Amino acid sequence: MTIQINQGLPVVQASDVRQAAPGGQLSLRADVVVVGSGAGGAVAAYELARQGLDVIVLEAGPYIPSTAFTEDFADSLETLYEEHGSQTNKDGDLLILQGRCVGGSTVVNGCVAFRTPDFILDEWRRDFGLNDMTPDVLTPYFERVEKHLSISTNGPHEIARHSQVIKAGAEKLGWSAKPFQRNVKQCALTGHCLSGCKTDRKQSMLVTYLPWAAAHGARIHSDTRVTRLLSKNARVTGIEGEVVDRHGEKVADIRVEAPRVVLAAGAVQTPVLLQRSELGNDQVGRNFACHPSFYVGARYPQPIHPWRGALLGMYVDQFMRPEDGGFVLEVGGLGVAEMCMISEPGTGQPYVEFMENARYNAGIVTLIHDHNVGEVRWRGDHKTIDYRLSKKDFPAMMLSLKAAIRLHLASGAEEVFLPTTERLAVRDAAEIDAAVGRIANQPHALRMVSYHPQGSCRMGADPANSAVDASGRLHGTEDVYVADASLLPTSLIVNPQVTVYALANYVADRMLENPRNRP
């Protein structure tokens, strides 16, 4: 099949396949199939393609070039996110946001770039036999992706009003606060990171590793849902799937013959695909974690205009280590649509008042080092994300909430809105313990959001507690590798994109060490 791409990234889309695939059947061959085009898939595709392997990248979501981004969050949820931004856990009280487009979640994340904390790597070596997971081994990978993605520390002009105000509060409390590092080139300071970067300043996979992979011959297909891996005697032979247009209409069946598959569809979709394919051990889908987060909003006496300037300016790491609390506070901007998602604006006159005061609001995002208590399962004809805030994690969530409220009040907030379904607020530090103490750990009591699903195909030396081995290869198979956030043995406590980039590069290198995987 020959398709002429006139502009933008060379992506074969459903509309191209409709015209070019006779009989609704598309058959392809490659050395490697990469399922997913986000942080893990794009890096793996580039690293393998540049070594001469014939690589095909399959993305379930659409190809939407930067010129088509609307900077409207409600519209972006519809076009760029998994399940149009409505993916939740089984209870329905945790919104789990993932990108579903060419470039994956890197297109819609906040650009935050943390290396894996050393104390997390210590856990991985101690508990999972991952002896290579040391700062010495991983530092060259971190440095490589940081250089490729122009990761640098926010300058003073990138600390927006919301971050300046709360930074002053942290200093008043004597808490450690630092500017973020972000993968941005000359940030345009529009604050629309969660809706895609229209100016291409965010160094997402859409404008970095995917074009580089394509330059080395990788073929990229969007609108392609992989339904199962094909295998024989523990050796993969390819994939089957469907090409589906943006209206949900199937355009063609697709089959790709390939002796190697890299799964990078994300911590929800990767285990589901393995389960549908009846591959892997009983650890596939288990140990799901996701950094359940609060967005703690507050009203200030002076205008903040939280939608202006860089989305994320600084963070508080005072409580990052487990012995200090095990959470991070990130100061984030937001628009009015996001405000309605994470706060209770009411209806009628209360809603009008909430919107009239929107310019006075600022917010803090909490991240905890949650335990891997969840499970992702394919049940008949649908996926289930069985995750409920555990008794182990509830205290850390409440500590992070108390710290966020205290920080807002120290920063001058007049009223702090609790992330509860019941409309609650705190106006004085003396009220914090009593107000937070009213919150029960039960479904639908809290408004929680996750941008960081991870851990459902845990990496480890022992198949008894892991799904893939120390090289990223699926236990019990020869040529199926995992290269996304589902690899992570534990939750990270910090934003995972840099860890995923580094591990995907690491996995690609381990693949290439095998002479059978070289071109």
Side-chain angles (χ1 to χ4, degrees):
M1 179 178 65
T2 301
I3 293 175
Q4 181 67 40
I5 306 295
N6 294 320
Q7 60 182 0
L9 187 64
V11 177
V12 178
Q13 303 177 64
S15 56
D16 302 313
V17 174
R18 178 179 279 114
Q19 297 174 13
Q25 180 67 46
L26 181 60
S27 297
L28 302 170
R29 291 176 180 268
D31 294 327
V32 185
V33 174
V34 178
V35 182
S37 65
V43 171
Y46 166 69
E47 295 296 340
L48 296 172
R50 79 184 185 92
Q51 295 298 330
L53 290 167
D54 181 16
V55 177
I56 290 180
V57 180
L58 303 178
E59 167 59 51
Y63 169 51
I64 301 180
S66 310
T67 52
F69 295 155
T70 63
E71 299 185 338
D72 180 310
F73 186 63
D75 177 70
S76 299
L77 287 172
E78 281 289 322
T79 56
L80 299 174
Y81 283 77
E82 179 70 28
E83 293 187 17
H84 311 294
S86 65
Q87 179 176 254
T88 68
N89 62 341
K90 186 170 70 173
D91 290 330
D93 60 354
L94 172 66
L95 186 64
I96 300 170
L97 295 172
Q98 291 179 289
R100 188 178 182 276
C101 57
V102 172
S105 294
T106 71
V107 173
V108 294
N109 69 18
C111 308
V112 171
F114 283 103
R115 293 187 182 186
T116 317
D118 287 352
F119 68 87
I120 296 293
L121 296 178
D122 292 342
E123 284 187 47
W124 294 359
R125 295 194 305 275
R126 181 191 68 220
D127 297 340
F128 302 102
L130 297 175
N131 297 327
D132 267 4
M133 295 295 108
T134 67
D136 286 346
V137 170
L138 292 180
T139 292
Y141 290 105
F142 291 141
E143 291 176 344
R144 179 176 175 81
V145 298
E146 286 165 355
K147 179 180 179 181
H148 282 350
L149 301 178
S150 301
I151 293 172
S152 61
T153 303
N154 279 341
H157 66 290
E158 293 170 301
I159 310 298
R161 178 66 177 159
H162 51 75
S163 294
Q164 294 172 7
V165 168
I166 295 176
K167 181 175 184 293
E171 292 172 350
K172 183 178 178 181
L173 292 169
W175 292 356
S176 171
K178 296 181 175 68
F180 281 116
Q181 288 198 314
R182 298 187 301 148
N183 56 315
V184 179
K185 270 188 179 180
Q186 299 177 332
C187 182
L189 307 178
T190 63
H192 293 297
C193 293
L194 306 186
S195 301
C197 184
K198 194 173 183 66
T199 62
D200 283 345
R201 310 299 178 90
K202 180 196 296 187
Q203 299 300 284
S204 74
M205 299 300 93
L206 183 62
V207 298
T208 55
Y209 276 86
L210 288 175
W212 303 341
H216 285 282
R219 292 168 282 167
I220 303 168
H221 287 243
S222 66
D223 308 313
T224 305
R225 301 175 183 171
V226 177
T227 53
R228 70 186 183 109
L229 277 64
L230 304 174
S231 63
K232 185 176 182 179
N233 298 327
R235 290 194 180 277
V236 70
T237 59
I239 65 91
E240 285 184 343
E242 301 173 336
V243 180
V244 180
D245 68 19
R246 299 185 192 186
H247 304 292
E249 179 182 344
K250 187 170 85 168
V251 171
D253 293 310
I254 183 171
R255 184 185 180 105
V256 182
E257 294 183 22
R260 306 160 196 85
V261 173
V262 176
L263 294 179
V268 175
Q269 291 75 20
T270 286
V272 163
L273 182 52
L274 286 170
Q275 290 162 8
R276 294 183 64 171
S277 306
E278 299 182 346
L279 288 173
N281 62 20
D282 64 357
Q283 295 296 303
V284 170
R286 295 185 179 180
N287 309 305
F288 177 81
C290 62
H291 294 161
S293 299
F294 296 139
Y295 189 96
V296 185
R299 180 172 51 80
Y300 283 76
Q302 73 276 26
I304 301 294
H305 295 107
W307 49 82
R308 293 180 181 173
L311 179 72
L312 290 158
M314 51 77 62
Y315 66 100
V316 172
D317 63 349
Q318 179 78 21
F319 311 99
M320 179 185 286
R321 297 188 66 87
E323 60 267 28
D324 297 324
F327 62 88
V328 175
L329 304 179
E330 300 188 347
V331 184
L334 77 170
V336 291
E338 296 95 307
M339 286 183 199
C340 292
M341 290 176 64
I342 50 81
S343 298
E344 176 48 64
T347 58
Q349 187 58 35
Y351 176 81
V352 172
E353 291 175 358
F354 183 87
M355 285 299 150
E356 286 176 342
N357 291 320
R359 66 186 180 279
Y360 296 98
N361 289 350
I364 296 170
V365 176
T366 67
L367 292 180
I368 71 163
H369 179 32
D370 61 320
H371 294 78
N372 297 63
V373 299
E375 187 170 356
V376 179
R377 284 287 153 204
W378 179 254
R379 302 191 186 280
D381 61 352
H382 67 282
K383 70 174 187 278
T384 299
I385 305 171
D386 192 354
Y387 181 95
R388 184 175 292 178
L389 191 62
S390 73
K391 292 180 179 179
K392 289 182 179 180
D393 293 328
F394 184 69
M397 289 290 279
M398 294 303 100
L399 283 175
S400 71
L401 176 55
K402 288 182 179 181
I405 298 169
R406 192 172 301 280
L407 180 53
H408 269 308
L409 294 174
S411 303
E414 294 180 327
E415 184 177 33
V416 184
F417 311 116
L418 272 61
T420 52
T421 50
E422 180 184 2
R423 195 171 190 182
L424 298 174
V426 172
R427 296 171 183 82
D428 186 271
E431 304 172 6
I432 295 175
D433 287 344
V436 175
R438 294 177 55 185
I439 300 172
N441 184 19
Q442 58 188 27
H444 300 284
L446 296 162
R447 291 173 177 262
M448 296 182 291
V449 178
S450 167
Y451 253 103
H452 306 153
Q454 55 197 281
S456 52
C457 291
R458 172 185 277 170
M459 176 189 279
D462 186 355
N465 67 357
S466 62
V468 304
D469 68 17
S471 68
R473 185 173 56 189
L474 188 70
H475 287 309
T477 67
E478 291 293 332
D479 296 296
V480 178
Y481 290 81
V482 176
D484 59 23
S486 60
L487 276 177
L488 306 184
T490 68
S491 74
L492 292 182
I493 201 171
V494 295
N495 307 57
Q497 70 165 331
V498 171
T499 299
V500 176
Y501 295 140
L503 288 181
N505 199 330
Y506 175 88
V507 169
D509 281 357
R510 301 292 79 74
M511 289 180 66
L512 291 164
E513 286 176 351
N514 186 337
R516 290 196 310 108
N517 292 336
R518 294 175 189 157

